[in-house]
Amino acid sequence: MGVTTLLVVVIVLAIAFDYINGFHDAANSIATIVSTKVLTPFMAVLWAALFNFVAYFVFTDHKVANTIAKTVIEQFITLEVIFAGLVAAISWNLFTWYYGIPSSSSHTLIGGFAGSGMAYAVFQCINPIEAINLSATLKIVSFIIFAPLMGMIISIIITLIIINICKKARPAVAERWFKILQLVSSAGLSFAHGGNDAQKVMGIIATALIAQGVIGTFEEMPEWVPLACYAAIAAGTMSGGWKIVKTMGTKITKVTPLEGVSAETAGAITLGITEHFGIPVSTTHTITGSIIGVGVVKRVSAVRWGVTISLLWAWILTIPVSAILGGLTLAVIHYIL
């Protein structure tokens, strides 16, 4: 396979991953709005996809994409490394989607890319740790804990504020208003999701273009790259992710419209803060933490902790499993070619 052909394959795979990311993570944006019956599943995915794409016009600094691009040190990046990382990320994403496990597409991509980069270093008889930008990687890994914790704390605060403001309101009137507000909060979460997650694939494509000398620096990334990535993630969201919707919307805790507004708003705020600082966080982790937060406000036992612990294991395993898959895929390519 020629270099030009492989570059095209890598770009197509990256956009395909963004599409898969969309339907894998659709549950993040629509789970609560579907479980509270504010929108039908079909209308919910259209609503989420619209705001996924609207983010293209607002998030123009591409800080998250830049962080992803720097995960692996430049001298260890080849098209084969990027290809292997994408194959690993797509494989793990499809596996977790099939079994309805809300794992992180972001961490899958990071793990696959890092694992293939480390394998490349091994084949060059270099310490694999030297292939990784430890500063960027540790920042990403730390937010496996911090992102859901931020989401949980913010959702608890928002829920308590809303409860105190609305304590004298008639329940029927309040519920009607919260169903309307949930349209806004869901749009905000979808907007933040698009802004954060589409950038991760942008970083991978930009890295491939730099590796082949098509562009000199990340700042020279052509405009078609973000446009294609935002369009792909929006199209993926429209395809839905119904197995994961069930886990997110009903299995962690029962969510009311008030709690849906709190969880989605907390998720959107958390994603907005992390995007501002260029930190690639998991939308899945963030909204899960937010949903747990609204459950805790009711009572600790309202959260199904058995389900939550299972999700936690999926979070912990995603990066190392993806890294192993990335390394194995590169090994296969190395020995075949």
Side-chain angles (χ1 to χ4, degrees), residues 133-299:
N133 182 334
L134 288 178
S135 174
T137 305
L138 289 174
K139 184 193 298 183
I140 293 165
V141 171
S142 67
F143 272 80
I144 293 177
I145 298 170
F146 291 141
L149 191 59
M150 284 173 65
M152 184 176 71
I153 292 169
I154 294 171
S155 70
I156 289 172
I157 293 169
I158 292 173
T159 305
L160 291 174
I161 291 171
I162 291 174
I163 289 172
N164 278 283
I165 291 173
C166 301
K167 59 185 175 184
K168 294 182 180 179
R170 290 170 55 193
V173 174
E175 181 163 356
R176 188 161 59 247
W177 271 104
F178 282 117
K179 284 189 174 183
I180 295 170
L181 287 171
Q182 215 183 339
L183 290 172
V184 179
S185 61
S186 177
L189 181 61
S190 299
F191 172 76
H193 170 228
N196 200 286
D197 280 32
Q199 289 193 52
K200 289 149 191 173
V201 170
M202 287 163 50
I204 293 294
I205 294 176
T207 301
L209 294 175
I210 292 169
Q212 289 308 302
V214 178
I215 58 176
T217 65
F218 177 82
E219 288 70 26
E220 295 173 17
M221 179 174 60
E223 191 56 35
W224 64 262
V225 176
L227 182 61
C229 290
Y230 279 104
I233 200 167
T237 296
M238 281 196 292
S239 302
W242 311 119
K243 293 181 180 181
I244 300 174
V245 168
K246 186 176 179 182
T247 300
M248 299 292 287
T250 60
K251 288 187 178 179
I252 296 173
T253 188
K254 186 177 180 181
V255 178
T256 65
L258 181 158
E259 292 158 352
V261 169
S262 299
E264 289 163 352
T265 303
I269 291 171
T270 303
L271 290 173
I273 292 170
T274 53
E275 197 283 332
H276 176 74
F277 290 103
I279 304 167
V281 301
S282 166
T283 309
T284 306
H285 296 186
T286 303
I287 192 61
T288 301
S290 300
I291 292 172
I292 290 171
V294 298
V296 167
V297 170
K298 289 184 285 192
R299 61 187 185 280

Side-chain angles (χ1 to χ4, degrees), residues 11-94:
I11 291 170
V12 170
L13 267 182
I15 293 172
F17 175 83
D18 227 354
Y19 174 82
I20 294 167
N21 185 351
F23 76 70
H24 188 282
D25 287 6
N28 300 330
S29 301
I30 71 171
T32 58
I33 205 168
V34 170
S35 64
T36 56
K37 296 182 171 59
V38 172
L39 289 178
T40 63
F42 177 72
M43 290 304 297
V45 292
L46 288 180
W47 185 252
L50 170 64
F51 286 96
N52 274 173
F53 188 73
V54 166
Y56 162 75
F57 300 100
V58 179
F59 292 99
T60 56
D61 55 13
H62 307 322
K63 289 181 182 177
V64 171
N66 200 7
T67 302
I68 291 291
K70 294 176 179 175
T71 305
V72 177
I73 302 299
E74 190 172 345
Q75 73 182 84
F76 298 97
I77 298 174
T78 65
L79 286 181
E80 289 79 9
V81 166
I82 299 170
F83 175 81
L86 285 168
V87 169
I90 289 171
S91 300
W92 182 246
N93 245 12
L94 290 176

